[in-house]
Amino acid sequence: MKKKLRVSGEQHNITLLQLDANFFYERAIRSLDRFHYDKALKYFQKAVDYEPNNPINYCNMAGVLSEIGKYGESNHILQKVINEIDPDMTECHFYMANNFANMEFFEEAERELLHYLQEDEEGHFLEEAEEMIEFLQYELERPTPLTKVKARAGMYEHIRARELLEEGKFLEAIRMLESITEENPDFLAARNNLALAYYYVGMSAEAKRAIEAVLEQEPDNLHALCNLAIFYHYEGNQEKLKSLTAVLTKLDPFYQEHLFKLATTMGILREHAAAFRHFQRLTKQGEAKKDPCISHFAAIAACNIGRLELAEKYWLMTRSMDEQSPLPDFFLTLLKHMQKEQHIPASMSYSYFSSVEEQMDAWELQARERGIELDPLYKRAYLFWAFADSSREGKLKAIYDLEPCYNDEVEGMLKQFLLQQDEDDYLKRIVMYTLRSMGMKDAFEVVLGGKLLKVDAQRVPTLESSHLTDCDPLWEQVAELALTRTAKRYNAIWQHDMITLWINFLSKGYMTASKLTKIEAWAAALEYLTAKLYNKPITYHEASVRYSTSITTISKRVKEIDAVLGIKGKLKEAPWYMGSRK
């Protein structure tokens, strides 16, 4: 505004100050540059007075208050902006989260930060917010319950949905992926994973429609093509699968994610040469070359095409990257048996579990689903690995399923195990019973209790048997009868525990029990109690028929054994109560 003023009779042109919000804003900024916070605060207040509906002016005031440590006053102004001036100014929640964090009100800071991430579309402070999340997780000692980041347009939710798929929580993943694709129709990765989720729960028609929706927008989408090929494979649609596989085998993707997807798809389709080529490329690229799973998959593919020397190379590589996992050593043991027996199991599956036992269980399940017996080579490799590197429980598991893989090499290894000084005497007794049940006739040597013994394969020593030298020799006939009648139905571990139960009873209660007559009834009682301990279904009637004796007599013998050992009170426990295993 310019006015002509008359001073002392003379005319002068004077420019008057334009006192508005911009004027006081500029003065406030200059004061901030000079660290004059009090003046800056006053000038920002004047700017608010001139433009009371401008949220920026309020935020500037809140910023100065935060700078001088008045976090509560700052939050009061920010709350006013959200409640009264501009509810869509979501960055105020981020500012408030910072103020609460500075006051060490971490729960409140988390609340405001989540509000910001879930509501802010622009994401100007996204990186800073993610850093604050890590800080709050540390302070609160728990994960932040974040379910959505609006500025990432479904990316965060998609990551969580993929985690749900990996955890087997398919219905939760479907709900999340459906929401993502509704809000972001062009999010093709989410549509591909939605197709997989549908397929996992048996919704084949919905899975196909999801894939078709992707291919309509992007006909060359590799993930969709791979998923479609997998669906054709499991449906047995060989005609469509053949033409699609011909296309896929010619591809050599550039990006690691695409390369991994194609490699795993080729493995599922049993195109192992193509799978090996892609996994081999991945072992040489970026982060993938540090991933033990990749080198393991390369080894599996190498086995499937008969390149055992390359399989060894990649399993050694896996072991160097995953020193804590027992899997590489197990697979190297398996590889030695392949080379020794000149036999490779048909189409080894591409999987990498956290334990050898999980890997064995997965193979067993796959074999059952195909209606076949698991290749004995797997069980033999597990046996040798378990007796070399596994725990006591691992060795017991290997013995439990010994029969399908038993041969001369296995027998020789078990005999060597019996001579080891530092091994468990209980395990040795189990091994001796196993050798007997496998039909071995020759005597062998064993170290028990630190002493070298020569053992008749038909008369295996049991726990505390030395206590029974003065007992009626019929006790051995009871044991022999029980072992004979259970030979085809009980494994070596169960048989050993049955005889251990018998020895403990005789050692503790023989002098108070009835005379040792009717060995059939005693043997039937032993089997009955052992079956109960292992939750194996049995009735007195079954036992009476099997041992040709009366139900009443068996029942009496069961009660006599129970009176000494108190077995009924322990039926819910593990069956290892019968004494020391050493």
Side-chain angles (χ1 to χ4, degrees), residues 428-525:
K428 290 179 181 178
R429 291 189 182 95
I430 293 290
V431 168
M432 288 189 283
Y433 273 97
T434 301
L435 291 172
R436 174 182 177 168
S437 66
M438 295 293 108
M440 197 178 83
K441 308 277 185 201
D442 299 333
F444 52 83
E445 293 182 331
V446 59
V447 175
L448 283 177
K451 297 179 181 179
L452 180 64
L453 306 174
K454 187 148 188 174
V455 177
D456 183 342
Q458 300 306 304
R459 300 179 67 83
V460 174
T462 58
L463 290 172
E464 303 178 15
S465 59
S466 59
H467 297 179
L468 305 174
T469 54
D470 297 328
C471 295
D472 192 321
L474 287 177
W475 79 269
E476 290 189 349
Q477 293 183 33
V478 173
E480 289 296 326
L481 180 59
L483 288 171
T484 301
R485 296 292 169 86
T486 58
K488 298 296 183 183
R489 294 176 293 108
Y490 286 23
N491 60 51
I493 297 173
W494 290 11
Q495 283 192 320
H496 179 273
D497 284 334
M498 181 172 63
I499 301 307
T500 301
L501 184 152
W502 181 230
I503 298 301
N504 276 341
F505 166 69
L506 293 173
S507 299
K508 296 175 182 178
Y510 180 76
M511 299 307 293
T512 60
S514 62
K515 291 183 179 181
L516 194 57
T517 59
K518 296 186 178 180
I519 64 172
E520 293 82 5
W522 285 108

Side-chain angles (χ1 to χ4, degrees), residues 82 86-94 115-116 119-121:
I82 295 169
D86 187 358
D88 294 328
M89 199 164 183
T90 51
E91 58 263 44
C92 288
H93 292 288
F94 175 73
H115 199 134
Y116 169 72
E119 298 299 327
D120 188 81
E121 294 183 354

Side-chain angles (χ1 to χ4, degrees), residues 147-385:
T147 59
K148 179 181 179 181
V149 178
K150 194 167 187 177
R152 292 200 182 278
M155 286 296 296
Y156 182 88
E157 300 92 311
H158 183 235
I159 292 170
R160 178 60 189 141
R162 287 176 61 179
E163 291 173 351
L164 291 171
L165 283 177
E166 292 171 2
E167 294 168 7
K169 298 176 180 177
F170 303 126
L171 294 179
E172 290 181 50
I174 286 172
R175 285 193 290 271
M176 186 171 285
L177 290 165
E178 285 177 339
S179 175
I180 294 169
T181 53
E182 284 176 12
E183 293 182 11
N184 306 280
D186 296 331
F187 198 159
L188 300 187
R191 287 194 179 278
N192 276 322
N193 282 314
L194 179 59
L196 286 176
Y198 281 144
Y199 187 79
Y200 291 149
V201 297
M203 300 170 66
S204 300
E206 290 82 354
K208 287 263 185 76
R209 283 198 291 271
I211 291 177
E212 289 166 359
V214 174
L215 293 175
E216 281 177 10
Q217 293 187 58
E218 193 175 289
D220 296 329
N221 186 283
L222 182 62
H223 282 271
L225 292 172
C226 286
N227 289 341
L228 191 59
I230 292 170
F231 293 166
Y232 288 153
H233 169 72
Y234 286 118
E235 289 176 353
N237 191 334
Q238 294 301 319
E239 183 178 348
K240 290 185 177 180
L241 177 61
K242 185 177 180 180
S243 59
L244 183 52
T245 302
V247 173
L248 293 175
T249 51
K250 296 176 183 177
L251 300 179
D252 278 300
F254 175 77
Y255 295 107
Q256 284 188 18
E257 182 183 357
H258 292 167
L259 189 56
F260 181 76
K261 177 69 174 181
L262 185 57
T264 53
T265 300
M266 292 293 100
I268 293 170
L269 301 181
R270 298 180 184 174
E271 297 288 337
H272 301 302
F276 177 70
R277 186 173 77 251
H278 298 317
F279 281 126
Q280 191 176 39
R281 275 185 60 195
L282 283 168
T283 62
K284 302 173 183 177
Q285 293 185 4
E287 290 299 314
K289 68 182 180 182
K290 302 175 186 177
D291 188 342
C293 290
I294 300 296
S295 53
H296 170 73
F297 294 151
I300 293 288
C303 277
N304 284 330
I305 59 175
R307 300 292 302 276
L308 300 188
E309 74 287 353
L310 287 174
E312 182 177 19
K313 167 189 170 183
Y314 287 113
W315 272 318
L316 289 171
M317 187 185 298
T318 304
R319 185 170 66 181
S320 68
M321 288 187 283
D322 195 0
E323 295 178 354
Q324 301 302 315
S325 172
L327 266 296
D329 281 330
F330 167 68
F331 276 99
L332 286 167
T333 300
L334 177 63
L335 184 64
K336 288 179 182 177
H337 284 272
M338 290 183 201
Q339 294 167 328
K340 190 181 300 181
E341 300 179 28
Q342 296 185 334
H343 167 65
I344 301 173
S347 193
M348 292 177 65
S349 62
Y350 296 80
S351 55
Y352 193 67
F353 292 90
S354 59
S355 72
V356 179
E357 286 72 25
E358 287 180 348
Q359 182 70 68
M360 290 297 297
D361 290 343
W363 282 333
E364 289 276 11
L365 178 61
Q366 291 163 7
R368 285 198 300 272
E369 289 175 346
R370 295 167 59 188
I372 60 174
E373 292 291 327
L374 183 64
D375 194 318
L377 182 69
Y378 289 122
K379 295 184 178 182
R380 195 150 39 247
Y382 177 74
L383 177 76
F384 275 82
W385 171 82

Side-chain angles (χ1 to χ4, degrees), residues 23 31 52 78 89 96 115 118 186 190 276 308 313 332 402 409 429 440 479 555 557 564:
F23 173 82
S31 297
L78 293 168
M89 199 164 183
M96 291 171 70
H115 199 134
Q118 293 170 356
D186 296 331
F276 177 70
L308 300 188
K313 167 189 170 183
L332 286 167
L402 177 67
E409 184 185 14
R429 291 189 182 95
M440 197 178 83
S555 176
R557 300 300 176 249
V564 174

